[in-house]
Amino acid sequence: RTVAAWMTTQPHTIGDDQTLAEARERMHHFGVRHLPVLHGGHLVGVLSTRDIAMVESLPGVDIAKVNVDEAMAEEPWTVVANAALSAVSATMAERRIGTAIVVDREGSDHVVGVFTTTDALRALPQLSA
């Protein structure tokens, strides 16, 4: 009963120098709401559809001219794949976190997966049966 059983492996990512318009298109194309943000292959943030919508709602802002690094959350919450599903889900609920970026080992910035609230909800019926 670990995050590894429910996470999205090989998640879609985006570079911090890409535009929000490109990020929104990627999210739409792949049907995801969160993208780990990389700089030189290293995790530097996470971007959500909510982040894009907030910037897009500002008067006079063109998201085709705003880079991801200007809107992302700079310190994404990371967990390891063998983290207990119950502990991760409880922390996400308590802290109102929509996604946990899964890394290969504690303290690493090498992304191996993404675990979202949707993943937690998918696990619930099978674990409570």
Side-chain angles (χ1 to χ4, degrees):
R1 299 197 176 185
T2 65
V3 169
W6 302 99
M7 71 182 188
T8 299
T9 58
Q10 300 177 337
H12 302 285
T13 62
I14 193 156
D16 64 344
D17 61 345
Q18 301 297 301
T19 68
L20 293 182
E22 291 166 317
R24 183 175 62 185
E25 175 58 33
R26 186 170 298 179
M27 289 173 170
H28 177 74
H29 179 76
F30 293 113
V32 298
R33 295 181 298 146
H34 302 91
L35 291 173
V37 180
L38 306 179
H39 179 84
H42 300 281
L43 180 66
V44 295
V46 64
L47 184 72
S48 71
T49 53
R50 186 177 293 177
D51 297 327
I52 295 171
M54 184 183 72
V55 172
E56 195 170 30
S57 72
L58 299 171
V61 174
D62 178 359
I63 64 168
K65 296 180 181 177
V66 178
N67 284 350
V68 167
D69 65 351
E70 298 178 64
M72 69 183 189
E74 292 184 6
E75 295 184 20
W77 185 50
T78 60
V79 299
V80 293
N82 66 351
L85 180 64
S86 58
V88 171
S89 297
T91 300
M92 289 173 72
E94 178 184 313
R95 294 175 50 193
R96 304 185 88 194
I97 298 171
T99 188
I101 307 300
V102 185
V103 293
D104 61 346
R105 67 185 186 290
E106 196 71 40
S108 172
D109 64 1
H110 178 72
V111 178
V112 296
V114 172
F115 181 78
T116 67
T117 53
T118 301
D119 297 323
L121 289 171
R122 279 189 311 113
L124 188 60
Q126 293 185 29
L127 297 175
S128 62

